[in-house]
Amino acid sequence: MRSSSSSSPSLAPSHPRLLPLFSLVLANALTVAAQQPTRHGVANTFEIVGNSGVSAQQMFLGRPGKIYILDKTENNPVQVNGHPAWAVEYDVETNQIRPLDVVTNSFCAGGGVAGDGTWLNLGGNQAVTWGGNTADSQTGGSAPYMDADGGKSIRFLTPCDDQTCNWVDDPTRYMTTRRWYPTLEGLPDGSLFILGGNKWGGFVNDADQNNPTYEFYPSQGEPVGLNILATTLPANLFPFTFLLPSGNIFIQTNWGAEVFDYKNNVEYPFPNIPHAVRTYPASAGNMMLPLTPDNNYQATMLFCGGSDLEPDQWVQDWAIAAYPADSTCVSITPDVSQTWSDDDSIFQGRSMGNMIGLPDLKVLLVNGANTGVAGYGNVSWAIGHSYADNPLRTPLMYDPTAPAGSRWTSNGMPESTVNRMYHSGALLLPDGSVFIAGSNPNPDYIVGTGVTYPWEDRTERFYPWYYDKHRPEPQGLPSKLTYGGPYFNVTLSATDLENSAANIKNTKAVVIRTGFSTHAFNMGQRVLQLRTTYTVAEDGNSAVLHVSQLPSNANIFQPGPAMLFITVNGVPSIAQWITVGSGAIETQPLLADSQLPDSYIPAAQDNSTTGGNTPNAAVHGASGVGAGALVFFAHRAL
Ligand SMILES: *[C@@H]1O[C@H](CO)[C@@H](O)[C@H](O)[C@H]1NC(C)=O
Ligand SMILES: *[C@@H]1O[C@H](CO)[C@@H](O)[C@H](O)[C@H]1NC(C)=O
Ligand SMILES: *[C@@H]1O[C@H](CO)[C@@H](O)[C@H](O)[C@H]1NC(C)=O
Ligand SMILES: [Cu+2]
């Protein structure tokens, strides 16, 4: 245990520009991660931090300091191997890029991470030339882009810190069928479920080119039909999928919804989603809300915004860009009930709002537009080419635990100066800021005066309310988490606890996978609060947080890389980069749920008014949900 004097005042130089160098030296000397943010950011502001060189149509955090960005094949100014690049590795600290050669056209590809830490980028379009027109050569022989057909591609990347890793595009390992706009969902053994898409692209899907099937990575053979994808035309591209704690997959696409038992290939239809289409091109914000001990790790999905177009309205020639986006939010807890619930609405209609789970267990809704939808085309009513207009540059914040009627707020939210509409994205970073990039509602690299919504490569950070607070510096964070198994101890100093030991009662351990961000949603995003108890030292100068492993159910948080934050009153530590599960694609070992010691705080240290404790007695007792009290709603009557 450390005394409070050893951690305060900070040893770091006060000038923020010196911090990266200092941290590097510290990291090399002591092999510890940075303990305070290296970037000086002001809470509740946006900051433009760099350029991505390609437009960030798709992106993910592959290492703590490395973002991998993919674009469609287009005339980006950055070159690789003698042609424009459409992928880069982006360094979070330096904001410098390393162009990567993706070879095939990754236009509107899907992505996800397997349990062994390998990232997949999957599907896409034919080889194209200028303007997105089909190239003569589909095998990489047509100037200026020299791209090859990406329809069946699986592109592999093992992220790295040393600038040596590259995308591997190996035709012997392709998918069985063409998929443009597919979705990937992680499975409990670290494999991936791949579904949907169409063969040749377009604004929306149609029966002639639909791919209403699923398959797996690693391959389990031929694709299998999925009825919901045949019955939800045309707005069923990039279907929304969520692996549920029960082991089934919740699927939402166009107006349809179901629970899918992929192990037995049985579909259980659910009522239609109310009020609006949420999938692309309506592109509602959506995510699984944080899984917590308080909600017994039940999965509730929230969908906000989108557009209420009926199937025939997508294929008519009318002024969609001026049509108001939807402002409703609905939620569902499919392992418990088939009933959709109305949730608080988002004040203004928004399509292409991207939801990002934050370590304080709130949800940021950022990017998007007030009218129109995703997509672009050369039509009279488009704004340039954009099918959306009236960009929304002010984010909103959602608190899942607030009373109905008060969950959304725009209080304190800044306005960005950059329009982020079609083909933009957002990712949580280890320092708790949100990285935002992209937007290009155009068929190619189109910039210049008179272009209302140009190709955009400025990268930006959003700094949430906690960003410039002193961060807790917990000691003893593990580099992996298991499903059940022995708990671990994390030590916090008096400084970490804001000089009040009672703040240990509002200290949480939060695991986040920020996912693969594209088309206004993050595939595979998941936020989970671990069970914790605590022991406070008699002098109040330090405390130990006893942290459970993950629940003993790999459906609750799939294997693979993730971030572990310790938050004190919502203020997060710098995340520890961890491996969830065994690190391999295999049936995961499930151990008994962690048994936590009872919580203890000496009476003299407990000045909290929230714990309901008498000031005269030491307090014992577990504050979290006890081991064995977990309730899994595995199989309700369907
Ligand atoms: C858009 O359509 C107009 C009219 O058909 C045509 O003249 C123009 O070349 C098209 N632009 C692009 C970028 O395809
Ligand atoms: C955790 O800390 C407590 C004291 O607070 C100690 O009794 C226990 O042995 C520790 N457990 C582990 C796994 O380190
Ligand atoms: C507890 O005491 C500390 C130190 O005096 C103070 O900063 C904190 O606000 C107090 N907390 C409560 C809930 O009274
Ligand atoms: Cu797209």
Side-chain angles (χ1 to χ4, degrees):
M1 286 196 189
R2 302 180 314 150
S3 71
S4 61
S5 58
S6 70
S7 63
S8 177
S10 171
L11 292 168
S14 59
H15 198 292
R17 286 190 182 166
L18 296 176
L19 274 168
L21 180 60
F22 178 84
S23 308
L24 194 65
V25 172
L26 195 69
N28 287 342
L30 304 175
T31 326
V32 295
Q35 301 286 288
Q36 299 294 321
T38 53
R39 194 161 187 97
H40 177 76
V42 178
N44 288 327
T45 66
F46 284 97
E47 183 188 12
I48 294 169
V49 293
N51 296 85
S52 51
V54 304
S55 195
Q57 182 183 104
Q58 307 151 40
M59 57 182 183
F60 61 89
L61 184 69
R63 296 285 307 155
K66 303 289 185 187
I67 295 167
Y68 295 87
I69 296 176
L70 295 107
D71 196 359
K72 66 182 186 287
T73 301
E74 61 183 335
N75 200 21
N76 290 311
V78 173
Q79 302 280 308
V80 65
N81 292 340
H83 61 78
W86 52 96
V88 300
E89 177 187 78
Y90 186 98
D91 188 289
V92 174
E93 289 297 323
T94 65
N95 297 296
Q96 300 298 304
I97 56 171
R98 179 170 68 97
L100 300 177
D101 198 353
V102 148
V103 182
T104 57
N105 188 354
S106 50
F107 192 5
C108 302
V113 65
D116 62 358
T118 304
W119 281 85
L120 276 66
N121 180 264
L122 192 147
N125 187 23
Q126 299 168 83
V128 297
T129 182
W130 167 255
N133 297 307
T134 305
D136 292 336
S137 166
Q138 289 299 309
T139 55
S142 290
Y145 302 143
M146 315 304 286
D147 57 325
D149 183 2
K152 293 185 182 179
S153 281
I154 304 183
R155 308 169 193 89
F156 296 93
L157 182 88
T158 301
C160 62
D161 295 321
D162 61 1
Q163 309 209 341
T164 59
C165 47
N166 285 295
W167 286 100
V168 174
D169 190 320
D170 173 3
T172 67
R173 302 177 70 190
Y174 276 11
M175 293 185 289
T176 57
T177 46
R178 303 185 66 84
R179 298 186 189 273
W180 193 359
Y181 311 89
T183 296
L184 283 73
E185 181 70 26
L187 296 177
D189 63 354
S191 67
L192 290 155
F193 177 78
I194 299 162
L195 79 163
N198 66 15
K199 293 171 188 162
W200 310 106
F203 173 48
V204 289
N205 207 352
D206 62 72
D208 287 341
Q209 61 154 338
N210 192 13
N211 187 348
T213 69
Y214 65 90
E215 58 188 288
F216 297 91
Y217 169 80
S219 178
Q220 296 181 22
E222 290 303 302
V224 182
L226 191 64
N227 192 51
I228 191 174
L229 295 176
T231 58
T232 51
L233 290 167
N236 70 358
L237 298 170
F238 282 134
F240 297 142
T241 61
F242 305 90
L243 180 69
L244 299 168
S246 62
N248 294 325
I249 298 175
F250 183 66
I251 302 177
Q252 198 288 307
T253 177
N254 201 359
W255 292 90
E258 72 174 27
V259 159
F260 179 50
D261 174 356
Y262 70 93
K263 292 185 286 289
N264 297 301
N265 191 31
V266 182
E267 300 178 66
Y268 298 97
F270 267 45
N272 278 356
I273 194 166
H275 311 309
V277 175
R278 313 292 175 165
T279 35
Y280 166 89
S283 294
N286 70 93
M287 69 174 276
M288 181 185 288
L289 293 176
L291 297 155
T292 69
D294 283 349
N295 63 31
N296 277 325
Y297 298 110
Q298 283 170 21
T300 295
M301 270 59 67
L302 179 68
F303 301 80
C304 291
S307 187
D308 66 0
L309 300 192
E310 295 297 335
D312 60 330
Q313 293 179 287
W314 294 107
V315 292
Q316 292 162 11
D317 186 10
W318 63 289
I320 293 178
Y323 185 71
D326 179 77
S327 65
T328 65
C329 293
V330 294
S331 66
I332 193 163
T333 309
D335 278 341
V336 175
S337 163
Q338 297 201 0
T339 305
W340 290 97
S341 300
D342 285 327
D343 206 314
D344 295 358
S345 59
I346 47 174
F347 312 133
Q348 280 176 298
R350 191 183 293 236
S351 71
M352 296 176 282
N354 199 152
M355 284 187 188
I356 299 297
L358 301 180
D360 63 354
L361 302 178
K362 295 188 172 62
V363 175
L364 182 75
L365 179 70
V366 67
N367 301 343
N370 185 226
T371 63
V373 297
Y376 58 75
N378 189 7
V379 293
S380 61
W381 48 263
I383 314 302
H385 294 94
S386 174
Y387 285 6
D389 198 6
N390 299 297
L392 293 173
R393 291 181 294 260
T394 303
L396 299 177
M397 199 75 87
Y398 177 87
D399 181 353
T401 63
S406 62
R407 291 181 188 148
W408 284 107
T409 183
S410 59
N411 286 348
M413 290 293 124
E415 184 175 12
S416 172
T417 56
V418 186
N419 300 322
R420 305 286 185 184
M421 302 199 295
Y422 191 43
H423 289 158
S424 61
L427 295 171
L428 179 69
L429 297 181
D431 69 359
S433 65
V434 176
F435 183 85
I436 296 163
S439 199
N440 186 21
N442 297 288
D444 206 316
Y445 173 78
I446 293 179
V447 297
T449 52
V451 182
T452 308
Y453 301 125
W455 175 94
E456 178 63 67
D457 88 326
R458 283 174 293 174
T459 60
E460 201 170 14
R461 298 264 199 114
F462 170 70
Y463 302 111
W465 66 271
Y466 50 70
Y467 190 82
D468 52 12
K469 303 221 179 289
H470 183 80
R471 306 300 188 88
E473 302 184 1
Q475 305 294 308
L477 294 176
S479 60
K480 61 177 290 191
L481 287 177
T482 53
Y483 298 105
Y487 76 91
F488 55 92
N489 281 339
V490 173
T491 307
L492 293 130
S493 69
T495 307
D496 295 335
L497 294 171
E498 302 170 6
N499 294 312
S500 176
N503 284 327
I504 193 70
K505 294 182 175 182
N506 198 23
T507 298
K508 294 174 181 164
V510 178
V511 188
I512 299 185
R513 179 172 293 139
T514 196
F516 179 90
S517 188
T518 195
H519 291 76
F521 75 117
N522 288 28
M523 295 180 194
Q525 179 172 221
R526 206 159 276 221
V527 178
L528 182 144
Q529 179 193 345
L530 297 168
R531 290 183 298 113
T532 52
T533 59
Y534 53 81
T535 301
V536 174
E538 293 300 329
D539 63 3
N541 276 335
S542 66
V544 176
L545 189 71
H546 313 296
V547 185
S548 74
Q549 300 289 335
L550 287 159
S552 187
N553 176 355
N555 297 305
I556 292 182
F557 201 111
Q558 301 98 320
M563 293 185 279
L564 172 60
F565 295 89
I566 303 296
T567 68
V568 178
N569 293 330
V571 178
S573 63
I574 305 295
Q576 170 88 346
W577 194 256
I578 59 166
T579 297
V580 168
S582 70
I585 301 173
E586 61 183 7
T587 301
Q588 297 294 304
L590 301 181
L591 307 170
D593 275 321
S594 305
Q595 302 289 320
L596 295 174
D598 286 353
S599 289
Y600 171 76
I601 181 167
Q605 306 303 336
D606 188 14
N607 66 347
S608 105
T609 52
T610 54
N613 303 307
T614 61
N616 297 323
V619 179
H620 295 265
S623 66
V625 174
L630 295 176
V631 181
F632 299 126
F633 294 82
H635 293 288
R636 67 200 164 70
L638 282 162

